[in-house]
Amino acid sequence: MGARPNIDHLKEVCGSNQLQHCFKYLFVQEWRENEELIRYIGEKCANLEASIERRAQLMQEGQSFGPFHDVAPDAVECMAVTQQREQHMLAALRGVLEVAREGRIEKEHHVGLMDLKG
C-alpha cells in the first residue's frame, strides 16, 4: 500500500485506525467549525443591525439641524453613504449565514452516516 499522509494524519489525530472513526471525527470537527461560523456571523449581523439602527437615528437627528447648519448636511450625507454600504454588508452576511445553516444539515447527515457504519 502506498503512503496516505492525509489519512495517516487523520488516524493519528482521531486515535483510531478504523476509517469510519476517522471520517466521523473529521465530520464532527467540520460540524463544530460550521457551528462556530454560524455563531460568529450571527453576532456580526446583530452588531451591524444595531449599528445601522443607531446611525438611522443619528441621521434623523442630524437632519433636524436644517440646511443652515455648517456641518450637519455633509455629515448626514456621509452617514447615508456608510449606511448603504453597511446594509449591503449585512445582506451579504445574511447570505453566508443561510449557506452555513444549510451546511449544518449536511454535516449532521454526514455524522449520522458514520454512526450507522460504526
Side-chain angles (χ1 to χ4, degrees), residues 43-63 75-76 78-80 82-84 86-87 90:
E43 288 174 5
K44 292 300 177 187
C45 285
N47 292 343
L48 263 176
E49 289 167 347
S51 176
I52 289 168
E53 179 59 32
R54 281 190 305 274
R55 188 173 300 102
Q57 292 170 359
L58 192 56
M59 289 167 53
Q60 188 175 21
E61 290 176 20
Q63 290 170 339
V76 170
C78 290
M79 283 189 282
T82 300
Q83 188 80 328
Q84 185 175 24
E86 287 194 353
Q87 287 171 337
L90 180 59

Side-chain angles (χ1 to χ4, degrees), residues 6-16 22 25-26 29:
N6 292 317
I7 297 292
D8 292 339
H9 176 72
L10 193 55
K11 287 178 179 180
E12 183 181 320
V13 295
C14 86
S16 176
C22 296
Y25 174 85
L26 176 66
Q29 294 304 311

Side-chain angles (χ1 to χ4, degrees), residues 1 93 98 111:
M1 234 191 244
L93 283 175
E98 181 61 28
V111 170

Side-chain angles (χ1 to χ4, degrees), residues 4-110:
R4 293 189 175 98
N6 292 317
I7 297 292
D8 292 339
H9 176 72
L10 193 55
K11 287 178 179 180
E12 183 181 320
V13 295
C14 86
S16 176
N17 283 326
Q18 295 184 22
L19 284 179
Q20 70 268 21
H21 295 156
C22 296
F23 288 121
K24 180 178 180 181
Y25 174 85
L26 176 66
F27 297 142
V28 167
Q29 294 304 311
E30 289 177 352
W31 178 82
R32 287 180 181 152
E33 290 173 6
N34 195 64
E35 289 301 304
E36 289 174 19
L37 180 64
I38 289 169
R39 183 190 51 75
Y40 178 78
I41 293 174
E43 288 174 5
K44 292 300 177 187
C45 285
N47 292 343
L48 263 176
E49 289 167 347
S51 176
I52 289 168
E53 179 59 32
R54 281 190 305 274
R55 188 173 300 102
Q57 292 170 359
L58 192 56
M59 289 167 53
Q60 188 175 21
E61 290 176 20
Q63 290 170 339
S64 70
F65 288 112
F68 301 110
H69 194 276
D70 291 343
V71 178
D74 290 336
V76 170
E77 178 60 30
C78 290
M79 283 189 282
V81 169
T82 300
Q83 188 80 328
Q84 185 175 24
R85 179 183 43 81
E86 287 194 353
Q87 287 171 337
H88 289 295
M89 289 170 46
L90 180 59
L93 283 175
R94 285 179 175 158
V96 171
L97 188 57
E98 181 61 28
V99 171
R101 286 179 175 151
E102 290 170 1
R104 171 190 283 156
I105 297 165
E106 172 188 302
K107 291 175 189 320
E108 287 173 351
H109 175 72
H110 293 162

